[in-house]
Amino acid sequence: MTFCLTAIFAFGSCGGYSGKNIISLVCGDGTNETLDANFHYPFRLSQVPLIVGNATLCNRSVTTTYLVGDSASSVEFFVGVAIVCFLYSMVALLVYLGYMHVYKDSDFGPIFDVVITAILVFLWLVCSSAWAKGLQNVKDATDTAGIGSTLALCKGGNVTCEVTEFASMRTLNISVVFGYLNMLVWASNGWFVYKETRWHSLKISSQPAAAGRQQVPAAM
């Protein structure tokens, strides 16, 4: 049940995210303008318009401008791994509850389980690291420096651009934490799954035999 909950928290905390940063422009004549940077899952920022159509800002004509960056591949990979783990844990739960006798009587079930668990641990490590990097790219693209490099208007000396209100990314940070937590949970489960395989049984049974072959010291 733990695997289901941690997987749900992982993809649920980032899958439906939507946020908005507010950018304030201080023009050379002292007037102020405001822009909204709206972004959401799956964070294809290059398709999110910052300025729509030809607009006039600070007495200058500005064409349609989009945010920079695309973190869709990393976050969709992350969510995909979380969903696969959720479905696999549900199937495994059904097997353990209804077909445990078949699972223990066969070598295939435990061996298959430990191999899949090892693969999932690796996938959690990769996708969590990729999404952590993708999330940092989203933060960089939507902060003051990122907006300033995106808007040509902000590159001149007469206009000052600054993000004055940031969207809360707490749930996105939590999703990364749950990604690594899932890796640890599945890794710890791998040990218990390994103990059900014949590999562990052979290791245990060979220890007394090895001890019996030790030579007994000769009597003095």
Side-chain angles (χ1 to χ4, degrees), residues 26-69:
V26 180
C27 307
D29 58 2
T31 59
N32 295 326
E33 302 278 0
T34 301
L35 293 176
D36 294 339
N38 297 284
F39 51 97
H40 52 81
Y41 177 88
F43 306 106
R44 291 189 175 91
L45 301 183
S46 59
Q47 299 179 8
V48 177
L50 186 59
I51 299 174
V52 180
N54 293 324
T56 301
L57 296 172
C58 296
N59 298 320
R60 293 171 59 180
S61 179
V62 183
T63 59
T64 300
T65 305
Y66 295 87
L67 294 175
V68 176

Side-chain angles (χ1 to χ4, degrees), residues 2-3 6-7 10 85 124 177-187:
T2 303
F3 308 107
T6 52
C85 287
W124 273 119
V177 173
F178 269 102
Y180 287 110
L181 178 61
N182 272 281
M183 182 193 69
L184 295 177
V185 169
W186 281 91

